[in-house]
Amino acid sequence: MWYLCVFYHRLLEYRKPEFEALAGLFGAESSLEWRLPEDYHPDSPFHFVNLPSEDMARSVASRSILIKGIYEIWGEGHNFEELEEAIGSYPDDRKLPYLSPGSTFKISIDSFGRVLSTRDQSDRLHKLSFIPFKGKVNLRNPEHKFCLIDNDDYGSNNGLPPIVKRKIFFGREIGAADRKLLQTYQLKSRKYLGPTAMDAEMAFLMANQAQVKPGKLVYDPFVGTGSILIAAAHYGAMTMGADIDIRVVRDGRGPNCNVWSNFQQYGLPMPISLLRADNNLPPWRSGLKEMFDAIICDPPYGVRAGGRKSGGRKLLKGVIGPYTVPDDKRTDHIPSTAPYSLAECVHDLLDVAARMLIMGGRLVYFYPVLREDDSPEPTFPEHPCFKLIATCEQILSYRYSRVLLTMVKVAPYTEEIELAAKMKHLEFRENHLKWLEEGNLHSGVFSPADVETNGGDEKFSSKPKYRGKYV
Amino acid sequence: MRLLTHNMLSSNIKGVTNGFPLRIEVEKMVEKEVELNMDFLKNMFAKVEWRALVEASRSMGYSELPDEADSSMLDSDEFLRKFHHALLELHLEEGALVCPETGRKFPVNKGIPNMLLHEDEV
């Protein structure tokens, strides 16, 4: 059956992938059919979607972060006359059960891109008097919710091209996102935070992309203060995290301000394990594979935080000679670390994920992209074990954005793949400094701008006014 | 550190071919109750190295696990409870994991194993 899905008008590229990941989680076997209302821009919040059952619609909506509502549409029209006619001809057996005496209901009046005054709302409400509501109004806790939504004349101030024709929808609400969750988990009230702690909304979106559910084991190799695992634990997963910085995973800011206390703060089950390990040289025993159901992470890509790997002085000194630790100093020796290039980091991540994820398991992670005017469509990392199923861009500044990649493991990790990965690993080791130079995102993001000198104004004004992805 | 983690880790020092299982040196261990999840346990049973888990739990002072186990035993509640206890409820809080080949100690402080290698071990 077709439903109208109205999204929140934010994180535009994340909305349909979230919906589809959740539909998969709740049992949809194939990809979903989508349809845009006539004349609508693809980035508008209104989309029709075909779902096998109302139960699925309800489950998807209540688990989602970006769905404002999923509605069974009783009628639509360009004006109220057309709407009345459409609702009139909608089958009674779909309507009457929800209008019966003894039931309670509520009608909300909504308009996209414009705030309606109370008076406007009540005017519109009265225009619905032709619908034979027999139940009682209950605004707090109604059995049935209805919604009148209108894409009124909002001009162009919400980032979308102006609407061609007004459209009014009336329907019964099946479900909606519970965004109170985000308040509970908002970073500003979290005890232990790091400079790159993942914003709660994004962490929950990542957990949804990874189809996290109770009893699954989720791993974050760059766990930091645990902000991504907290979302996974909220959805019932068992969690494991590793980080190369021991101060973050072991000490935090004291006995009541560390990764454990963050989980405690929300009454979530503690991570199964936290350890200090290097994603470049993971300590997993040989033969261990297909351990995790999902790997979710935000790799260090060298803009706000740079990656580190083990082998510091030895690697940096290169050919000068092997660095050795004197025997009497080994016990309390603190090993130095070397910078970790993004290319190597992502290579290692894909290799670890290919080995350690179960078949059908998901790898969800952020990948940074420089946004230059003339740059072609970005290419994303590939791996023979994985199929890329969603790319969701979030623009961070004029210079760069990050893209949330969702990959599914579709092929087993074989000896050939393992061998190829080992060769690549050695190549990275041998050409450590070369890789550090290449793809240095930090300099791309922070180098001084020279646009003003050569007709910079023109360059800025030639940017399209459409700013959907910024929302 | 729980024994599930121990069961996954090995010494990955360059040149070491047999870094598993790591021997456990206990300075302080604690027991923390964890809710039992059958599906998770059954799933993990297929993944763990049983011998290593038995030895590890013995070095933590828990010797209730049978020497051998096969998946038919998962039907027994008693077995599941013991497996659950060994795998998830015993914590090494302070101590070390010792590489069986080189004797190198990976310290465990505040329950966090430090698996990072020295510069000359990579």
Side-chain angles (χ1 to χ4, degrees):
Chain A
M1 181 169 167
W2 286 92
Y3 295 91
L4 178 70
C5 173
V6 180
F7 289 112
Y8 284 99
H9 193 53
R10 53 186 286 105
L11 297 168
L12 307 184
E13 287 195 347
Y14 291 73
R15 307 185 297 184
K16 276 192 191 174
E18 185 198 30
F19 197 114
E20 286 182 336
L22 293 179
L25 177 63
F26 293 113
E29 274 154 22
S30 54
S31 62
L32 301 175
E33 271 181 278
W34 293 88
R35 182 161 60 79
L36 267 180
E38 189 194 348
D39 295 334
Y40 274 47
H41 189 277
D43 280 343
S44 100
F46 301 90
H47 294 265
F48 283 106
V49 60
N50 194 1
L51 292 174
S53 73
E54 186 172 318
D55 277 343
M56 181 182 288
R58 193 173 295 113
S59 308
V60 167
S62 50
R63 166 76 186 257
S64 77
I65 299 296
L66 295 174
I67 298 173
K68 200 169 178 187
I70 297 182
Y71 305 94
E72 176 199 333
I73 290 299
W74 287 12
E76 57 180 272
H78 295 300
N79 50 47
F80 277 94
E81 290 71 44
E82 283 183 29
L83 181 70
E84 180 168 351
E85 205 186 310
I87 296 177
S89 56
Y90 194 68
D92 276 348
D93 61 325
R94 297 286 323 151
K95 289 187 293 194
L96 296 180
Y98 304 99
L99 302 173
S100 62
S103 67
T104 54
F105 72 98
K106 170 190 172 175
I107 303 174
S108 4
I109 310 290
D110 201 359
S111 174
F112 172 60
R114 198 159 84 102
V115 178
L116 293 176
S117 66
T118 324
R119 201 195 165 122
D120 274 349
Q121 289 190 33
S122 102
D123 283 353
R124 289 176 192 209
L125 191 61
H126 281 104
K127 287 184 183 157
L128 293 175
S129 52
F130 64 88
I131 304 174
F133 289 105
K134 298 277 191 296
K136 261 196 172 152
V137 171
N138 179 339
L139 296 183
R140 277 251 168 84
N141 197 13
E143 280 168 65
H144 309 304
K145 293 180 190 169
F146 300 91
C147 194
L148 181 78
I149 323 163
D150 176 331
N151 63 348
D152 219 324
D153 186 21
Y154 53 68
S156 60
N157 57 8
N158 62 3
L160 288 180
I163 199 80
V164 182
K165 248 183 190 166
R166 182 184 187 196
K167 194 76 159 274
I168 313 166
F169 297 100
F170 179 81
R172 180 172 65 87
E173 183 184 303
I174 310 293
D178 172 21
R179 285 181 69 91
K180 284 200 198 87
L181 193 71
L182 303 181
Q183 254 166 38
T184 313
Y185 286 97
Q186 61 182 343
L187 288 183
K188 64 180 179 185
S189 52
R190 192 167 305 165
K191 273 192 203 151
Y192 180 42
L193 282 178
T196 56
M198 185 59 63
D199 157 59
E201 181 175 29
M202 200 50 89
F204 280 96
L205 283 173
M206 292 168 93
N208 280 345
Q209 284 302 125
Q211 298 185 325
V212 170
K213 65 175 182 183
K216 299 284 174 191
L217 186 57
V218 175
Y219 177 59
D220 178 355
F222 309 103
V223 67
T225 56
S227 48
I228 292 174
L229 291 186
I230 281 172
H234 173 84
Y235 291 132
M238 310 270 197
T239 56
M240 275 181 103
D243 203 290
I244 196 168
D245 188 344
I246 193 147
R247 293 165 303 175
V248 179
V249 280
R250 186 187 61 192
D251 307 329
R253 283 188 231 287
N256 290 314
C257 183
N258 50 43
V259 183
W260 308 109
S261 79
N262 276 351
F263 280 76
Q264 208 171 23
Q265 182 180 348
Y266 303 114
L268 297 172
M270 293 293 166
I272 293 288
S273 102
L274 289 176
L275 66 150
R276 181 197 205 186
D278 179 0
N279 193 53
N280 186 238
L281 290 165
W284 310 123
R285 70 173 149 88
S286 65
L288 184 72
K289 58 177 185 177
E290 309 209 346
M291 193 69 195
F292 304 126
D293 297 282
I295 294 181
I296 315 177
C297 62
D298 183 23
Y301 31 76
V303 178
R304 281 191 295 175
R308 310 293 293 179
K309 62 174 177 177
S310 40
R313 266 164 265 188
K314 190 181 168 197
L315 276 180
L316 293 175
K317 284 186 178 170
V319 292
I320 298 168
Y323 177 88
T324 49
V325 184
D327 276 345
D328 56 323
K329 303 232 164 65
R330 298 197 80 90
T331 329
D332 291 322
H333 176 67
I334 297 169
S336 60
T337 53
Y340 195 15
S341 76
L342 178 69
E344 186 176 10
C345 178
V346 170
H347 168 263
D348 293 339
L349 175 64
L350 285 172
D351 185 53
V352 168
R355 177 178 155 196
M356 298 293 277
L357 280 177
I358 60 163
M359 284 296 287
R362 290 184 164 210
L363 168 65
V364 177
Y365 69 105
F366 270 114
Y367 188 77
V369 175
L370 278 178
R371 303 177 58 232
E372 271 139 23
D373 279 349
D374 43 6
S375 63
E377 281 292 295
T379 53
F380 299 115
E382 289 175 5
H383 192 284
C385 293
F386 285 103
K387 185 176 161 205
L388 180 65
I389 57 160
T391 59
C392 314
E393 185 181 10
Q394 181 188 24
I395 293 174
L396 295 176
S397 79
Y398 189 74
R399 289 283 181 77
Y400 85 114
S401 56
R402 59 180 182 179
V403 183
L404 185 66
L405 301 181
T406 307
M407 299 173 104
V408 180
K409 183 168 165 185
V410 291
Y413 189 64
T414 61
E415 278 175 23
E416 293 84 64
I417 294 174
E418 188 175 358
L419 196 69
K422 269 191 188 135
M423 304 293 285
K424 189 76 182 162
H425 179 82
L426 287 176
E427 191 195 325
F428 276 120
R429 286 261 145 192
E430 278 161 21
N431 301 299
H432 180 68
L433 291 173
K434 171 183 158 253
W435 282 105
L436 278 186
E437 295 294 313
E438 272 178 28
N440 188 341
L441 199 68
H442 189 274
S443 60
V445 173
F446 293 109
S447 65
D450 57 1
V451 277
E452 281 80 6
T453 51
N454 47 23
D457 289 344
E458 228 172 86
K459 200 168 175 182
F460 277 104
S461 58
S462 70
K463 279 255 162 189
K465 287 276 187 300
Y466 173 60
R467 53 185 179 85
K469 281 184 185 171
Y470 280 106
V471 178
Chain B
M1 183 202 68
R2 300 174 214 244
L3 296 189
L4 171 61
T5 316
H6 170 264
N7 208 274
M8 296 167 68
L9 295 177
S10 72
S11 154
N12 58 344
I13 298 170
K14 192 178 181 183
V16 167
T17 51
N18 200 5
F20 179 83
L22 297 157
R23 197 160 50 75
I24 300 182
E25 276 186 10
V26 187
E27 272 174 47
K28 184 185 168 199
M29 64 98 53
V30 287
E31 289 184 28
K32 291 181 202 165
E33 210 172 301
V34 177
E35 206 179 314
L36 193 139
N37 180 328
M38 296 277 227
D39 293 336
F40 182 74
L41 283 180
K42 286 179 181 165
N43 196 359
M44 283 303 127
F45 182 79
K47 310 279 165 79
V48 297
E49 279 281 333
W50 188 257
R51 275 306 310 169
L53 180 67
V54 174
E55 278 170 35
S57 62
R58 286 199 184 133
S59 54
M60 300 276 276
Y62 182 75
S63 46
E64 302 284 305
L65 290 184
D67 285 343
E68 306 288 335
D70 61 75
S71 51
S72 67
M73 296 164 91
L74 290 171
D75 296 332
S76 146
D77 279 353
E78 194 196 344
F79 173 77
L80 275 179
R81 260 198 314 279
K82 288 175 178 171
F83 177 42
H84 172 75
H85 183 69
L87 194 72
L88 297 172
E89 295 187 323
L90 302 175
H91 285 254
L92 180 63
E93 194 67 14
E94 298 289 334
L97 302 175
V98 187
C99 170
E101 200 169 305
T102 61
R104 147 80 140 108
K105 287 185 184 177
F106 295 94
V108 178
N109 300 124
K110 299 184 192 168
I112 309 287
N114 182 348
M115 301 306 294
L116 199 69
L117 300 175
H118 296 323
E119 293 92 327
D120 53 356
E121 292 171 337
V122 302

